[in-house]
Amino acid sequence: MIVTFPLEFEQQVKTQAAQRGMDVASYLLSLVQRDSKAAAPANDTASDYDPDALNRMIAKLTSRTPEEKLAARQRAIAESRPQIELAPDASFFDVIPAVRGDETDEEAIASLKEFSLTEVRKIISEIDSHLTQDDDPVFWAIATYTLLGDTFHFMLRDFDTHNIFIQLGACSHWLRPHQTRLTAAGGFALPAGYGGSGQSREGLPEYDWSILIHWDISIGEWVLTDKFFGKKKLTRRIALPTRTARHNQAAVHAIWTPGSPRHPNQKRVDYYGFRKINGVWRCVLPTDVEA
């Protein structure tokens, strides 16, 4: 039997299969078996076979109304938020959701499920040890979680042959003055530094301090590490501003070198804008520039 998928649906299926560590055929088979089992009467036998089950499932998924899609999204959100008490040693920021700005609820939930709260807590604790009274720890917790989730989106395919690192740190010496701005979401000064290209908008922000994080493919987690290793490395260098306790917005600079998992030989620069809205830090500006 040959089934033709709409391109958008095919990409969604590939992404969902990759997130579960399955090939596409096995993932689709599991969906059909689950759907068939749910629809079968109690007295049906395991030998029953319905050759049109997959076609019906595809037709149902691709013909949903906007109202049905909204209802499915709300069910997914509800099912992903178990009503449990926080552990005594856990804080609100250990389980804060990443707010990127342009992803769907389903994509955000899928990304969050990939991370262990234990490992993220270790990363946040290491960052906290570097912060001063002028740095807002809430901003750093939300920004770090957001950036970990966003970096994971780059790794849904074609990264198995590379060691993926994130170097994340603080910069207090940004390029000033300059007139270049990110105009979206109310506007942010372009986050450029004095490193690399010198006094230009392409200059790299220089770190006051930084930590190093590695994607451990054996356990599927971000983990702290004290050095780079491996012959084939891809690094996302991320610089966040200091003194965030004094301000209500912050711009972040991120660059993949020598390239991203999707284009390992092509540098990629991304900018993020965070703003405090009604007392809550949110990512309001994700944008990218191919360099």
Side-chain angles (χ1 to χ4, degrees):
M1 178 176 63
I2 298 176
V3 180
T4 301
F5 298 101
L7 181 59
E8 181 181 358
F9 179 74
E10 181 179 348
Q11 292 300 325
Q12 292 174 355
V13 170
K14 288 181 178 179
T15 299
Q16 293 169 4
Q19 290 171 348
R20 290 163 175 78
M22 303 170 67
D23 60 73
V24 174
S26 299
Y27 178 57
L28 285 174
L29 178 60
S30 70
L31 292 178
V32 173
Q33 290 174 333
R34 184 181 63 185
D35 185 69
S36 178
K37 183 181 295 185
N43 61 354
D44 275 0
T45 65
S47 61
D48 289 340
Y49 172 68
D50 184 353
D52 293 323
L54 180 58
N55 286 330
R56 288 203 313 275
M57 180 197 73
I58 295 171
K60 181 178 179 181
L61 289 174
T62 56
S63 63
R64 291 181 299 172
T65 65
E67 291 76 15
E68 290 172 331
K69 292 180 180 179
L70 178 60
R73 178 181 298 181
Q74 292 172 338
R75 285 196 303 272
I77 295 173
E79 292 172 0
S80 68
R81 296 177 180 171
Q83 301 300 310
I84 58 175
E85 296 290 333
L86 286 177
D89 61 341
S91 72
F92 168 76
F93 301 110
D94 293 325
V95 295
I96 191 75
V99 184
R100 182 172 189 266
D102 68 344
E103 62 200 355
T104 66
D105 292 337
E106 289 85 353
E107 289 172 336
I109 291 167
S111 292
L112 295 177
K113 286 182 176 178
E114 296 298 326
F115 305 134
S116 160
L117 290 180
T118 300
E119 295 302 326
V120 172
R121 184 182 294 126
K122 292 178 183 177
I123 293 170
I124 297 297
S125 295
E126 178 64 22
I127 290 172
D128 283 343
S129 70
H130 294 278
L131 301 182
T132 71
Q133 62 182 4
D134 289 328
D135 298 314
D136 187 342
V138 179
F139 162 76
W140 279 87
I142 292 177
T144 299
Y145 216 117
T146 300
L147 293 162
L148 290 178
D150 198 59
T151 302
F152 178 77
H153 279 297
F154 286 91
M155 299 163 47
L156 294 179
R157 61 180 183 180
D158 301 331
F159 75 96
D160 295 320
T161 60
H162 293 87
N163 281 301
I164 308 295
F165 293 90
I166 295 177
Q167 187 176 14
L168 184 149
C171 174
S172 61
H173 198 202
W174 299 87
L175 183 63
R176 294 287 189 274
H178 69 81
Q179 302 302 317
T180 306
R181 293 184 62 80
L182 305 173
T183 58
F188 292 83
L190 185 78
Y194 291 93
S197 299
Q199 296 187 21
S200 76
R201 69 184 187 89
E202 296 181 357
L204 288 177
E206 296 177 312
Y207 287 133
D208 295 10
W209 56 263
S210 68
I211 64 172
L212 191 61
I213 307 166
H214 173 245
W215 178 258
D216 189 333
I217 192 173
S218 65
I219 61 173
E221 300 287 357
W222 291 113
V223 296
L224 288 166
T225 184
D226 57 357
K227 63 182 179 180
F228 292 101
F229 53 84
K231 293 182 178 180
K232 300 180 69 175
K233 298 185 290 291
L234 298 177
T235 302
R236 198 177 197 204
R237 186 185 188 278
I238 303 175
L240 293 83
T242 58
R243 298 186 288 274
T244 46
R246 303 181 185 179
H247 305 287
N248 290 323
Q249 67 179 39
V252 174
H253 179 283
I255 181 172
W256 281 100
T257 58
S260 69
R262 297 174 186 174
H263 304 287
N265 298 315
Q266 182 178 0
K267 287 185 180 180
R268 176 189 173 103
V269 178
D270 300 284
Y271 302 116
Y272 299 84
F274 290 83
R275 183 169 286 122
K276 208 174 206 180
I277 302 173
N278 296 326
V280 178
W281 283 100
R282 294 184 179 276
C283 183
V284 298
L285 175 62
T287 186
D288 61 85
V289 177
E290 294 290 351

